[in-house]
Amino acid sequence: MNDVCNAPGLLPIETAIQNILGSITPVKDVETITIMQSVDRVLASDVKSTINVPAHNNSAMDGYALCISDKSLTYTQVGSVFAGQVFEETLTPGQCVRIMTGAAIAPGANGVVMQENASVDGDKITFTAQPELNENVRFAGEDIAIDDVILKAGDKLKAVDVGLLASLGIANIDVVRNLKIAVLSTGDELIEPGQPLMQGAIFESNRAVIISALQQKNIDVLDLGIIPDDKELITNAFLKANELADAVISSGGVSVGEADFTKEVLNEIGEIHFWKIAMKPGKPFAFGKLSNSYFFGLPGNPVSAAVTFNQLVEPALQKLSGLGEVNPKMRFNAVTTSVIKKRPGRADFQRGTATINEQGDLVVAPFNKQGSGVLSSLSKANCLIVVPAQSGNIEKGATVSIELL
Ligand code: AMP
Ligand code: MG
């Protein structure tokens, strides 16, 4: 891993993300599943169409398909074709068939006139004008041709993509298998919700955040619970997690001087870097490799854990899951409705509420309380306001960058 991991001082968050992404090798195992189970899964191979879409030349209008004759505007109707039907006979100049949108164009037909421009007298149909050659005709393969690559390996399937696969008659596809992630929290003070709260103890919440976030991403979660600050128990938990999972996410005990066991154990069983990242909340963070998995050590502080998960672990999991392109989170410009207090040094991820004001502009109201222990502020927020490391206070009315949550 890069030397910068051992550099003194604070590591810029961009460098941390680059280091993490650079050292992750995506999971390659493939499984075949039905398309109905494939939403949000990552394609393992390119998908090519085996058919033309549309499958046959067809009408873009309700009207008359005809074989153009320069002689007269009056044609002879020789039949009708509705969607799903085919007219087998070949039209000759001056003949037409009644046709509905989407129905196959009869052989010999080279234009469609919409019904509004036709008057009917028995089987004699008179048009207001001759159509241009191929007017209102949709050609076979116009949308997708046989052998076109329609979705690529590494694409994450959206609901509409699943529909696209269905429209091409594809019932099963190869996807990268789901990630398996082990999650645990360390700390003697932590109590499982539902248990009585003892003096000096706090309810454990980081696993609830992380596991819930993982469940939303089709990830198989292995919940290893709360591990006390005990070297042997931590060693056993990390070894078990490493054996069963592609990645291990722990929280707590990454600050200097505290929970030394975490650091000690990880150095014994893997290659781990403890970073102080120039971000707020979330300074202490560990990343590394164990024999069979990647390790992410989040700060214990609930807001710091959630924000480092969001900023550092999410892109890592995207890469690990086989996603073709791991793009930075999308940012929008918004006008701040009040002053943003900040000291230069670390990139800030402040909590706020973004709305569209009466003028139609995107504005953001930063919260007063930005303490990194205040999980309720993150719960109320619908965005993070990203203030660059070098920036100081920002005045009301200035444009800032936000990431929607
Ligand atoms: P640590 O990083 O272990 O020093 O923890 C920093 C702060 O976050 C301490 O106040 C811990 O009690 C608290 N904390 C650590 N882990 C958790 C957790 N899983 N859930 C809620 N709070 C935690
Ligand atoms: Mg702790």
Side-chain angles (χ1 to χ4, degrees):
M1 220 166 292
N2 206 311
D3 267 357
V4 77
C5 310
N6 304 317
L10 299 180
L11 187 69
I13 181 169
E14 297 78 14
T15 314
I17 293 172
Q18 268 171 27
N19 286 343
I20 293 170
L21 293 181
S23 54
I24 284 180
T25 308
V27 164
K28 293 268 176 342
D29 305 337
V30 174
E31 59 187 9
T32 304
I33 59 172
T34 99
I35 61 162
M36 295 308 278
Q37 251 117 48
S38 71
V39 73
D40 281 344
R41 298 295 299 265
V42 176
L43 273 181
S45 43
D46 290 355
V47 177
K48 283 185 181 179
S49 179
T50 56
I51 59 168
N52 282 320
V53 180
H56 37 248
N57 296 353
N58 70 89
S59 174
M61 292 285 174
D62 289 336
Y64 295 85
L66 49 76
C67 179
I68 296 173
S69 156
D70 324 329
K71 298 204 178 86
S72 165
L73 284 172
T74 300
Y75 284 64
T76 306
Q77 184 184 339
V78 295
S80 295
V81 256
F82 297 94
Q85 298 180 337
V86 243
F87 189 81
E88 311 254 344
E89 290 156 49
T90 303
L91 299 188
T92 54
Q95 289 185 326
C96 68
V97 289
R98 182 90 173 97
I99 197 165
M100 296 300 147
T101 305
I105 293 287
N110 54 8
V112 172
V113 179
M114 59 198 276
Q115 61 194 18
E116 289 81 347
N117 294 339
S119 55
V120 180
D121 179 11
D123 66 350
K124 297 296 170 206
I125 317 294
T126 304
F127 301 113
T128 50
Q130 295 284 8
E132 303 268 327
L133 187 63
N134 296 325
E135 192 171 332
N136 296 324
V137 177
R138 297 190 292 220
F139 285 96
E142 202 171 88
D143 182 15
I144 296 168
I146 290 175
D147 275 347
D148 277 358
V149 173
I150 48 141
L151 291 164
K152 292 207 295 293
D155 284 351
K156 188 175 183 176
L157 297 173
K158 304 186 293 288
V160 169
D161 297 333
V162 179
L164 182 60
L165 291 165
S167 75
L168 298 172
I170 295 167
N172 298 300
I173 44 158
D174 289 343
V175 294
V176 181
R177 72 156 165 82
N178 280 339
L179 294 182
K180 286 175 280 190
I181 310 274
V183 181
L184 57 100
S185 294
T186 65
D188 282 340
E189 78 283 23
L190 303 176
I191 305 263
E192 202 69 74
Q195 301 298 311
L197 187 63
M198 268 99 73
Q199 195 71 33
I202 58 164
F203 287 123
E204 200 280 314
S205 61
N206 289 342
R207 260 163 59 248
V209 174
I210 295 161
I211 290 175
S212 304
L214 295 176
Q215 283 169 343
Q216 287 179 325
K217 298 176 199 295
N218 273 333
I219 288 173
D220 297 338
V221 176
L222 180 71
D223 181 5
L224 295 182
I226 299 169
I227 312 293
D229 294 317
D230 174 286
K231 180 166 180 186
E232 201 181 321
L233 294 177
I234 290 177
T235 307
N236 291 343
F238 287 175
L239 285 175
K240 182 177 172 194
N242 173 54
E243 205 177 297
L244 300 172
D246 302 304
V248 184
I249 303 175
S250 93
S251 74
V254 284
S255 333
V256 189
E258 282 176 85
D260 287 323
F261 297 131
T262 302
K263 201 165 177 174
E264 226 178 285
V265 171
L266 289 171
N267 280 329
E268 278 172 30
I269 66 170
E271 183 199 349
I272 298 291
H273 301 279
F274 287 83
W275 293 334
K276 280 190 220 157
I277 298 179
M279 68 185 289
K280 190 181 165 203
K283 190 159 69 171
F285 184 85
F287 170 69
K289 282 181 195 164
L290 307 181
S291 63
N292 176 60
S293 62
Y294 296 96
F295 185 91
F296 302 91
L298 313 185
N301 223 310
V303 177
S304 307
V307 173
T308 49
F309 178 86
N310 173 271
Q311 293 294 312
L312 297 161
V313 183
E314 281 188 3
L317 297 184
Q318 288 179 355
K319 172 107 189 244
L320 191 58
S321 73
L323 203 70
E325 278 176 52
V326 180
N327 295 315
K329 288 186 191 279
M330 212 173 309
R331 291 188 181 168
F332 302 91
N333 284 339
V335 172
T336 177
T337 58
S338 62
V339 168
I340 297 177
K341 291 204 196 104
K342 170 163 183 319
R343 267 181 281 164
R346 296 197 259 159
D348 244 16
F349 294 85
Q350 297 206 5
R351 276 70 70 205
T353 309
T355 48
I356 304 288
N357 69 9
E358 279 170 6
Q359 286 75 49
D361 298 322
L362 184 60
V363 296
V364 62
F367 294 166
N368 289 330
K369 277 196 206 159
Q370 294 287 344
S372 55
V374 192
L375 198 55
S376 60
S377 79
L378 199 47
S379 163
K380 283 194 209 98
N382 69 0
C383 70
L384 291 174
I385 305 165
V386 187
V387 191
Q390 67 282 3
S391 170
N393 289 340
I394 293 178
E395 60 205 64
K396 177 181 169 177
T399 298
V400 293
S401 261
I402 63 167
E403 288 178 8
L404 296 178
L405 291 170

